Each structure stands twice: as C-alpha cells, then as structure tokens.
Amino acid sequence: NFTDKTYFRNTLAYDLYTASGGPGLKAFPAVVQRNGVYYGMYDVVEEAQSEFLERVGLDPDGALYKMGNGFNSTTFEVEKKTRQYEGTADLQQLVNTASLNASQGEIWVKDNLDLAEWVNYLAVQTLIANRDYGQKNYYLYRDSNDTQLWSLLPWDVDLSFGHQWNPT
C-alpha cells in the first residue's frame, strides 16, 4: 500500500462498513517474510467477486461492476466482475438516468435503487472521511434475479481517516 504507511485504514474502513450492516470487504495488514527475512508490510484485501457477494448475503449471480469513473460510462474504467456472459445494458440504463428530467429521475431512483443501502454507503463514506470516492473507486451491484435494485459497495478506502494523496 503505497499511500497508507499505517496499514490500518483499509482494515478500519471496511470493518466500519461491516459494523454498519453494509457489505464490507475483509481486510487486514500482514507482514511478509521471504526465506525467513522481513520482506515488507502489506494490506490484504478481499477481492470482490461472487464469493464476496455470497458471504455478505447478496446474490452471487447479481451483476457486480468495479467502477473507476464518475458514473458516466459503461466502458471507460469499468470491469464487470460477475455475469460476464451478458452485456452491460443494465449499467447503460443506470448511466442514462442522468439525462432524465427531475420527476422522471425521482420515480426511476425510487423504483431502481436500494435507497437504504445508498444512504448507508454515503453515511459511512462521510464517517471515515474518504477523500477518494464519488468520481471513482466504488462497486455497483444489481440484484439481477430478485429485486432488480442497484446498490453501492465500497472499494479503495485507503485515503480515509484524514489521509490525503501526496505522490511526493
């Protein structure tokens, strides 16, 4: 973890998501030795895939997208993690909501977003003071087989708890 030399921000942030009832990834710091010699300190963070979804009580056959953009593209900085046998029409429909007028958008949001999960996500992001989300670094999950609702899930939370990116 180049940016967080405490090696605890990922662990604390994801644990806080889990404690809030949300779907937090498992994370912990680890000392790595090579041939019995100290090699380095690293963050171990669970990969968000179908096994993660199942562990946190979500349908592992739901659509999971790793997003590195500001919610404005289905191709740029987007990695589909599950349901790779289908296209991204569901994500395109979600991105298209930005062009709806206010009343259409309000109806669409109420019908298609898991609002409690979105509020929880935003509350925890605020609580951990994450400075690196919104414009990127999140997962979108759609319960494709049941409710059809979209949720936001956390990703890349190392710039939290007062930590800021400083490349020098």
Side-chain angles (χ1 to χ4, degrees):
N1 187 339
F2 180 76
T3 62
D4 177 19
K5 299 310 179 203
T6 70
Y7 298 95
F8 280 102
R9 286 182 173 87
N10 278 317
T11 301
L12 292 173
Y14 288 127
D15 282 356
L16 190 55
Y17 274 101
T18 301
S20 75
L25 295 166
K26 288 184 180 179
F28 57 90
V31 173
V32 176
Q33 294 186 346
R34 186 172 165 188
N35 298 324
V37 178
Y38 176 81
Y39 185 76
M41 182 85 160
Y42 294 89
D43 278 333
V44 178
V45 179
E46 177 181 23
E47 182 71 24
Q49 293 184 355
S50 57
E51 296 84 4
F52 159 72
L53 295 174
E54 189 169 24
R55 182 181 64 76
V56 297
L58 298 172
D59 180 0
D61 191 42
L64 181 65
Y65 294 90
K66 187 175 186 177
M67 303 294 289
N69 67 49
F71 202 61
N72 56 4
S73 174
T74 61
T75 56
F76 178 72
E77 297 289 327
V78 174
E79 180 183 353
K80 192 165 188 182
K81 307 293 275 183
T82 59
R83 298 179 71 93
Q84 294 177 351
Y85 53 85
E86 65 185 13
T88 59
D90 58 348
L91 182 60
Q92 185 63 60
Q93 184 184 28
L94 183 60
V95 168
N96 290 346
T97 62
S99 64
L100 296 176
N101 67 40
S103 61
Q104 291 172 323
E106 181 178 349
I107 292 167
W108 195 95
V109 162
K110 288 178 182 177
D111 290 344
N112 292 280
L113 302 185
D114 183 342
L115 292 176
E117 190 64 49
W118 284 65
V119 168
N120 190 63
Y121 171 87
L122 294 170
V124 175
Q125 289 285 9
T126 301
L127 188 60
I128 67 173
N130 188 358
R131 301 186 51 90
D132 196 22
Y133 84 101
Q135 79 284 6
K136 59 180 181 146
N137 297 342
Y138 57 97
Y139 286 100
L140 283 170
Y141 170 78
R142 182 172 185 240
D143 187 1
S144 306
N145 296 325
D146 190 22
T147 67
Q148 308 289 310
L149 297 179
W150 287 93
S151 300
L152 273 172
L153 310 178
W155 167 50
D156 192 4
V157 292
D158 62 322
L159 294 182
S160 57
F161 299 105
H163 190 55
Q164 297 183 38
W165 170 249
N166 181 355
T168 60

